[in-house]
Each structure stands twice: as C-alpha cells, then as structure tokens.
Amino acid sequence: MPYAMNRNILRWIIIASSFIIISLILWNTYIFFQNFKAEERIKMQNWSFAQSELLKSDADENVELTLKILESNHTTPMIAITKDGSLGTFKNIDKKKVSNPISVKNLMAKFESENRPIEVYYDKEIYYTIYYGNSPLINKLKYYPLALLLIIVLFAAVVYFFYRSSKIAAQNKLWTGMAKETAHQIGTPLSSLIGWTEILRSEDVDRSYLLEIEKDITRLQTITDRFSKIGSMPTLKRVDIVQETIDSYEYLKARSSKLIGFTIEAPEHPIYVDLNQQLYSWTIENIVKNAIDAMKGKGNLKVSIIESDKEVKITVKDSGKGLPKSLFTKIFEPGFTSKKRGWGLGLSLAKRIVEDYHKGKIKVLHSEIDKGTTMQISLKLIP
C-alpha cells in the first residue's frame, strides 16, 4: 500500500512539475514576443523620425546617416499614407499588393490590427501616417507556442501509449501465466479421475454412469488443452469446419436449457479450413453462452454456415436484448462486460483466437435492441 501511495504521489509531482515547466516556457515565449514587437516599434519610430528629418533637411545638408536609417528596414512591411489619403511610399511589400486603392486600404486595415500607426510631422502637421505589419520573424514566433504545445501533446501521447502498451503486455503476461497454471492444476485431479474411472470399470459399475463420467473427463481434458495453448501459437490443421461446428453445437445444445430453441443450417458437404479444433470450439462456446445470457435462458438461437468463393462464414443469431451500435467493437475489449459477475474475457478471447491465431475476422454483423444480435466469424478456405 505505501508503495502504491508513493507511486501516485510521484506521478502527481511529475505531472505538476511538467505543467509548471510548460507554463514557464509559454510565459517566457510570450514575454519574448512582446519585447520583440516593442523593438520593432522602436525601429519603425526611428525610421519615421529619419523620414521627418529628411523632409526638414536642406539640399546642401549631409543626410547620409538619415538615408542609412531609412534604408535599414529590410524586413518589416510598411506603407506611408499622405494626409490626403494617397500612397506615399512603401517597403518590403510586393508591388501587386499596392496596385490599387482597395488593396492599399486592405493593407492599412491589416497593419493597423497588428500595430498602432506612427505619424510623421512636418511643420507641425501630419505629413505621413506609417502603417506597418509584423515582420516574417514575428509571424513565425506567433506560432511557436502552438508548435511547442503540439510537441508536448505528441510527447504526452507517446508516453501514454507506451504506458498503456506496457500495462496491456503485463496484463496479457499475467493472464497467460494464470491460464497455464490453471491447466497445470487441473491436470493432477484429472489424472486421478481417470484412474478412478478405471477402478470403477473393473468393479462392474453401470456402463451408462461410466460413459457420462468419461464425457466429463474428456471435457476437462479439452479445457486443460485450451488453457495450456494461451500465450503460444497453436498448431493448425486442415479440418472440416462444418463437422467441427456441428460437434460444438450438439454439445452445447445437450447441456443448455430446454427453453432455448436451437437450430442449425449447414452444407452437407465438408468445408476445409486451417483450424485448431480445441480453440475453435472454445470460440463457438463463448459466443453461444453470451447469446444464451442475452436471452436470459429463454429464446431462439440459430447457427448458420455459409460458404463463399474465398471464405466460410459462421453466424450465431439470438433473440436476446440486442446491442447499441456504439458497443459493436467495445464488447471485444478485455474486461468489458454487461453481466454483474462477468469477467469480460469470453469475447476478447474469441477475437484473439479468430484474428490472431486463425487470421480470420469476428464481428457483430447485426443487432437490434430487444430483437437480438447476430455474430459472424469469417475464415479463409483452403483446397
């Protein structure tokens, strides 16, 4: 418990520290941006002062320094408008943009929204009004905080997905270990049951009793084999999926409530696919059990096998409570369940068996609230 508490405290300290660092970076960027704009304004004020001095100067006066100041602006776009509203001069602007009065007015409005105009006086009257915009460097700096935030968000996303992937990998490792340990633990009493069955057989016990016990032993062996295969790639064999589906169907029908109406539609000829029989029967079992739960133990369940050119589709249709469309993919996520005592592993295991091990597809084909759901498995055919 103290370790978990310390880990949570450390996590919050890291989050708070990151937030403070980001805030400081953004604040300093904002201050730098404002200072840079102030420097740009001082530069334009010097330019306007030089323009004013040039207007006041005599023909024989040395104006070399004034001209150098006027020529020093190589980046900031500006236009000088005379007191009668006509264009006086402009710098760092394409000639096409000042080719007509409407374009000039648009530039004036744009520049005025970016910076306050500067007035140039001559003989105590306004001679020019200088409108200037942001230099290319300032325009780039405007987007720097956004770029920084984007980088931070992307970095946080990478950290989150790495953490999530690590957590999922750890959970998968835990479930794999538990499954293999379960298979190992079942093995000991199962061996004992097989031994006791042989003893009962030698005691001339009723054969019908032994037959039922042997069926349950076979079932336990199948379950043990299933659990032992979790976490490792199973062996696939060329198998008739029609017969495998019928076998699973018959087993579940015999052990389900008589209030469930079971029907099956299957071709009379064999259809071959690469299959692991134990894992496939587990998938059918999980889907059928979910369907029975959705019907609350009473309703109709139909299994269909449909062959196409390149694949075979197995559908399981129930008359249960149905699903909203928003849950069509979510029901396959580990841990998701609508049952009070469910673990949310059945359909996630089915998805893994079908898609990861058999390279097929499993999905909710159709569902309507209070009318039922149709699940579909698609597997590739082999000659």
Side-chain angles (χ1 to χ4, degrees), residues 25-39:
I25 291 172
L26 291 175
W27 175 252
N28 280 295
T29 303
Y30 173 77
I31 295 298
F32 175 74
F33 180 76
Q34 294 301 320
N35 289 338
F36 202 86
K37 284 201 73 172
E39 290 291 331

Side-chain angles (χ1 to χ4, degrees), residues 72-110:
S72 64
N73 178 21
H74 299 293
T75 57
T76 306
M78 54 81 62
I79 52 176
I81 305 298
T82 62
K83 59 183 179 180
D84 61 357
S86 61
L87 178 64
T89 185
F90 63 91
K91 286 186 71 67
N92 305 313
I93 299 173
D94 189 359
K95 288 183 180 180
K96 292 180 181 179
K97 293 184 178 181
V98 291
S99 58
N100 60 70
I102 295 175
S103 299
V104 172
K105 283 185 179 180
N106 290 337
L107 282 172
M108 288 168 60
K110 180 177 180 294

Side-chain angles (χ1 to χ4, degrees), residues 24-58:
L24 288 173
I25 291 172
L26 291 175
W27 175 252
N28 280 295
T29 303
Y30 173 77
I31 295 298
F32 175 74
F33 180 76
Q34 294 301 320
N35 289 338
F36 202 86
K37 284 201 73 172
E39 290 291 331
E40 286 275 298
R41 185 164 185 83
I42 291 170
K43 184 173 73 173
M44 291 309 300
Q45 285 173 338
N46 290 337
W47 193 93
S48 65
F49 180 75
Q51 183 70 40
S52 179
E53 289 298 308
L54 182 64
L55 293 170
K56 295 176 185 177
S57 62
D58 297 327

